[in-house]
Amino acid sequence: MSDANEPTGAVEPDAGTTGAGTAGGPATATGAAGSAGAGAPSGATTANDPAGAPDPAGSAPGRRVRVVLVDDHRMFRTGVQAEIGQTERTGVEVVGEAADVDQAVTVITATRPEVVLLDVHLPGGGGVEVLRRCSPLMADAEQPVRFLALSVSDAAEDVIGVIRGGARGYVTKTITGTDLVDSIFRVQDGDAVFSPRLAGFVLDAFASTDAPPVDEDMDRLTQREREVLRLIARGYAYKEIAKQLFISVKTVESHVSAVLRKLQLSNRHELTRWATARRLV
């Protein structure tokens, strides 16, 4: 996934500010969401519910849930907000948005939503890093912040990584708007929610006696460092990695240095053998 191409402005968690779809980056805090005219982008949450359709099953009359959207694609955030953020109909109030890890932690801390829709791949360390830094908020007994992963990825390591990090569920971006709203309310209630295709996998991964142990070495790496690691192990040159990940060659070099240091390896050849042994290539 590419790095966010939006400038990171000052965080302003004022409840009256808006900005879904603005050119200046993500809104930090919004009022009642649901600006007209913004449709879900292709491949994202589908907009199958006409205005005035019955309320989703999870949103009983009068129920409200405050939500923060975390995704590095502005058009996707705009589409999701237009789809689920019609508060009077869905009960969902989008109170903030973020495009990277630092923004996410700042906005979530400032707004204290009931549920965060969290993309897995984010600039700054990925969804797992957001979960790590927000762990005190998740542990708050009186006002817990709960996380629902919403990602295009259905890779095993992504699912297990965010669930291990504390997310209450994981759904893919093929989910309909109605089902997404229902999932948000279920997570607010403390339920675990997964896309049907992933539910059995998650149960098998955690219940099986043959499940692999936690890889502490991999856990030391950020999401971006893991992406660079895999590409290095596949034989990509630094320039090719930079082009594929939309980052500079210098940034690639910095990530490789960090990976080598954290894994206590000397060069990219040792790194390749290390990755191959773990079937990461």
Side-chain angles (χ1 to χ4, degrees), residues 142-198:
E142 295 184 359
Q143 190 181 353
V145 176
R146 296 188 168 102
F147 288 79
L148 173 61
L150 175 62
S151 177
V152 69
S153 170
D154 60 0
E157 63 189 62
D158 289 337
V159 179
I160 298 304
V162 295
I163 299 305
R164 183 187 296 155
R168 295 295 304 174
Y170 194 115
V171 295
T172 61
K173 289 181 178 180
T174 57
I175 192 171
T176 66
T178 299
D179 287 343
L180 181 57
V181 170
D182 181 66
S183 297
I184 290 169
F185 276 97
R186 289 171 59 193
V187 167
Q188 180 192 27
D189 291 336
D191 293 342
V193 179
F194 298 94
S195 291
R197 182 177 179 279
L198 304 179

Side-chain angles (χ1 to χ4, degrees), residues 22-255:
T22 59
T28 303
T30 67
S35 54
S42 175
T45 305
T46 56
N48 295 325
D49 304 320
D55 288 341
S59 55
R63 285 198 66 180
R64 291 288 185 269
V65 57
R66 299 170 69 253
V67 172
V68 164
L69 305 178
V70 181
D71 193 290
D72 63 344
H73 288 89
R74 178 172 59 85
M75 288 185 65
F76 179 75
R77 295 195 310 271
T78 302
V80 172
Q81 177 162 326
E83 176 70 13
I84 71 172
Q86 301 173 39
T87 308
E88 293 305 314
R89 181 172 68 88
T90 65
V92 175
E93 179 186 4
V94 178
V95 297
E97 299 180 15
D100 59 36
V101 169
D102 288 339
Q103 287 182 3
V105 174
T106 300
V107 174
I108 293 166
T109 302
T111 60
R112 296 298 292 266
E114 283 88 24
V115 177
V116 177
L117 289 180
L118 179 67
D119 192 13
V120 174
H121 299 288
L122 293 168
V128 172
E129 180 65 12
V130 175
L131 291 164
R132 185 187 70 80
R133 291 168 59 178
C134 290
S135 57
L137 301 180
M138 289 189 283
D140 189 324
E142 295 184 359
Q143 190 181 353
V145 176
R146 296 188 168 102
F147 288 79
L148 173 61
L150 175 62
S151 177
V152 69
S153 170
D154 60 0
E157 63 189 62
D158 289 337
V159 179
I160 298 304
V162 295
I163 299 305
R164 183 187 296 155
R168 295 295 304 174
Y170 194 115
V171 295
T172 61
K173 289 181 178 180
T174 57
I175 192 171
T176 66
T178 299
D179 287 343
L180 181 57
V181 170
D182 181 66
S183 297
I184 290 169
F185 276 97
R186 289 171 59 193
V187 167
Q188 180 192 27
D189 291 336
D191 293 342
V193 179
F194 298 94
S195 291
R197 182 177 179 279
L198 304 179
F201 161 72
V202 173
L203 289 173
D204 291 344
F206 282 94
S208 174
T209 56
D210 297 327
V214 174
D215 191 328
E216 295 182 358
D217 290 332
M218 281 293 288
D219 281 352
R220 294 191 186 101
L221 306 181
T222 66
Q223 185 62 45
R224 179 62 84 193
E225 288 168 352
R226 296 182 193 190
E227 292 172 348
V228 171
L229 163 65
R230 287 186 183 83
L231 294 175
I232 285 289
R234 291 170 184 168
Y236 283 68
Y238 286 2
K239 288 184 178 180
E240 294 172 323
I241 297 173
K243 183 177 181 180
Q244 181 156 335
L245 299 180
F246 297 93
I247 58 180
S248 69
V249 173
K250 189 172 183 179
T251 300
V252 174
E253 293 173 349
S254 297
H255 285 314

